[in-house]
Amino acid sequence: MSERDDMLPPDEPLGPDEEGEVLAAEYVLRLLDPAAEAEARAREADDPAFAKRVARWRAEFSALDAEVVPVQPSDLLRRKVERRLFGGSEALAGARPGVGLWQAVAAVFAAATVALGLLVFRADAPPPVFPDRPPVALPQTPPRLVTTLDAADGRAAFIVVVDQAEGTLQIARTVDPPPTDAEHQLWFLDDSGVPESLGLLPDAPVFTIGVDPDTLERLREGVLMEVTREPAGGSPTGGPTGTVIGIGSAQPL
Amino acid sequence: MPGTTKGDPSLAGDQRDRVRVSPRGESLEELIGRVALGDRDAFRQLYEQATPKLLGVALRILRDRALAEDAVQEALVKIWHAAAGYRSDRGSGMAWLMTIQRNKAIDMLRARPARHAPLEPAESLADPGPGPAAAAEAADERERIARCLAELPADRAAAVRAAYLEGWSYAELAHRHAVPLNTMRTWLRRSLIRLRECLMR
């Protein structure tokens, strides 16, 4: 390939801008040795300009993901993931030293049977629902509604789960919080035709806000919700005034 | 106002045209948000939608079915715990999942003894081109990076692709191309500059 070297720029030292750009690409491609990689990771966290280069390379290269051919996983993988995240491991932890092998095996098997239901006996069973154990954050108590608040680009900006039983809104934020001089404010609109505030949103990626029972009663299927950007302290008018960050209608979960 | 059921325009005016009315949109971005809230059903749907693609990339990097499934398992566990860190304004949900998967697979690859890849002549690195299914998926973005890679000498483009898609290190690339490590590093760094210049055009 030496005859084609003239197609590339002459081998001169890179400028600081190019150096940062190449380092970001090498970091994304995982070409750096462990020490340099750790350094780049720290820089990604501390240096917004570098983080932006990294994000841009990630986005560019991710277009190549289209070349990856999907492969169906074994059903064993689903069961392993299920058990690891949602149950079964407790049984292993509970098998104390001194318990005989067969007792331990029986305990694990019993727990797996409970967790996986008939799947243990029916390898060709349809994909199992993840076992109905107490969830990490959400009680599985109906009725619940979910509203996906889409940003202008169509991607989800907020996910709002209305939990009637708990009287709360559980919210995941998938966009950055506003700058310090602004707020994200959540609104809903029902048949009354007047948008009403559900509150100012914290900066955390996941949070819960309480809703008074009268308002909760009005959060039904089809109700519109939106988040707008408002001045510090919230909308001065009592209604939405700023840019819409995300909007969507409530659907049964 | 097509697609909405309410006629009152006082909420966000024309923004309401964008309101999703199809029940349960179930985009990956939405699913990741619900997973951040601890929603197992959303995780199960995410598993159905994304796992074949995750296994595809893990298999391409690890070249071993059992190892690749282990890598997918690790990635899914991380996805469950790290979903709150996803930012939809920085990239698609699939790109986020694939980044986690790719990094997990490469971590596993590097934690193992050197992979027993036979030394192949550089010609075999030439990109065979995407299969029909992959080609059908081709988007503008992909065409852009593909066009820019095509502006590089073929072997350099193949090296960049192999680094991204197969997780090859400088040392492996140097070995495969039968050039000294520093030469490979210089080649690739210069290729990345060229790539950036092209992508910015």
Side-chain angles (χ1 to χ4, degrees):
Chain A
M1 61 178 70
S2 57
E3 71 275 11
R4 285 187 308 220
D5 277 351
D6 56 321
M7 293 180 67
L8 291 173
D11 193 7
E12 57 199 23
L14 301 177
D17 198 53
E18 288 178 323
E19 188 58 53
E21 199 61 43
V22 169
L23 184 69
E26 288 178 301
Y27 172 59
V28 168
L29 290 173
R30 301 289 307 264
L31 287 166
L32 300 173
D33 62 54
E37 183 167 88
E39 223 169 273
R41 191 175 298 117
R43 188 167 163 195
E44 186 192 10
D46 298 341
D47 175 353
F50 182 71
K52 202 172 160 190
R53 292 183 199 275
V54 168
R56 194 166 53 190
W57 277 115
R58 272 203 190 111
E60 311 271 22
F61 281 124
S62 73
L64 294 176
D65 290 344
E67 293 181 21
V68 173
V69 179
V71 178
Q72 281 303 321
S74 70
D75 198 51
L76 184 63
L77 177 63
R78 178 201 310 279
R79 279 180 276 170
K80 280 180 173 171
V81 171
E82 223 176 304
R83 187 163 54 190
R84 185 152 158 206
L85 287 178
F86 305 133
S89 55
E90 297 90 339
L92 283 169
R96 294 186 198 132
V99 175
L101 175 65
W102 286 110
Q103 284 152 291
V105 168
V108 170
F109 193 73
T113 307
V114 170
L116 302 174
L118 288 176
L119 189 78
V120 170
F121 304 102
R122 291 175 49 201
D124 60 343
V129 173
F130 283 103
D132 195 17
R133 304 170 63 87
V136 173
L138 290 183
Q140 301 283 356
T141 321
R144 289 195 300 151
L145 296 171
V146 64
T147 312
T148 300
L149 278 59
D150 289 338
D153 64 4
R155 284 187 185 150
F158 291 87
I159 317 294
V160 179
V161 172
V162 180
D163 192 320
Q164 299 282 1
E166 292 285 315
T168 58
L169 303 181
Q170 290 147 349
I171 302 176
R173 164 202 290 284
T174 64
V175 291
D176 282 332
T180 46
D181 60 349
E183 308 266 11
H184 280 168
Q185 190 160 4
L186 177 65
W187 309 86
F188 79 102
L189 175 68
D190 66 5
D191 295 331
S192 77
V194 180
E196 292 176 47
S197 177
L198 287 164
L200 301 177
L201 303 181
D203 289 349
V206 171
F207 49 87
T208 297
I209 60 177
V211 181
D212 70 73
D214 291 344
T215 304
L216 197 66
E217 175 67 20
R218 295 165 59 198
L219 298 180
R220 296 180 175 280
E221 182 175 353
V223 77
L224 289 181
M225 290 190 191
E226 73 171 356
V227 171
T228 57
R229 182 170 153 166
E230 301 292 343
S235 163
T237 68
T241 65
T243 315
V244 176
I245 308 297
I247 183 165
S249 69
Q251 304 293 334
L253 180 56
Chain B
M1 183 162 299
T4 60
T5 53
K6 296 187 188 307
D8 191 302
S10 57
L11 183 76
D14 58 356
Q15 303 282 357
R16 294 180 61 193
D17 281 335
R18 292 206 315 270
V19 172
R20 184 209 303 275
V21 290
S22 62
R24 312 288 298 278
E26 293 172 4
S27 70
L28 266 179
E29 292 78 20
E30 172 186 346
L31 292 175
I32 293 168
R34 285 169 54 197
V35 167
L37 292 172
D39 185 329
R40 291 176 184 193
D41 184 54
F43 184 80
R44 187 177 57 78
Q45 291 177 59
L46 180 151
Y47 181 100
E48 296 298 332
Q49 281 191 32
T51 303
K53 197 82 174 171
L54 299 182
L55 183 55
V57 74
L59 204 51
R60 197 147 172 182
I61 290 166
L62 290 160
R63 294 171 184 267
D64 176 291
R65 178 75 189 220
L67 274 179
E69 290 213 353
D70 284 352
V72 173
Q73 187 185 340
E74 294 303 322
L76 287 165
V77 168
K78 171 148 189 193
I79 287 160
W80 172 257
H81 291 296
Y86 170 63
R87 289 286 167 276
S88 61
D89 44 359
R90 305 229 179 98
S92 73
M94 185 50 98
W96 185 73
L97 301 177
M98 290 289 267
T99 298
I100 290 176
Q101 182 60 74
R102 186 172 168 272
N103 284 329
K104 279 288 176 203
I106 291 175
D107 287 345
M108 283 178 65
L109 185 69
R110 308 239 160 119
R112 296 172 65 78
R115 82 176 114 179
H116 30 273
L119 181 61
E120 295 169 30
E123 285 73 27
S124 71
L125 296 174
D127 178 38
E137 280 184 52
D140 286 353
E141 273 212 342
R142 176 163 170 260
E143 279 159 19
R144 196 157 63 101
I145 193 155
R147 178 171 51 75
C148 288
L149 282 169
E151 287 189 10
L152 297 174
D155 47 6
R156 317 279 162 103
V160 174
R161 271 179 196 280
Y164 182 76
L165 289 166
E166 332 257 329
W168 288 13
S169 66
Y170 276 132
E172 282 170 309
L173 290 165
H175 182 64
R176 297 260 180 139
H177 284 257
V179 297
L181 183 61
N182 280 335
T183 305
M184 176 49 72
R185 184 176 283 120
T186 305
W187 280 1
L188 213 59
R189 289 171 61 89
R190 284 157 66 193
S191 299
L192 290 168
I193 290 290
R194 281 273 301 269
L195 198 53
R196 168 51 65 215
E197 287 166 0
C198 173
L199 290 166
M200 296 298 270
R201 282 207 293 271

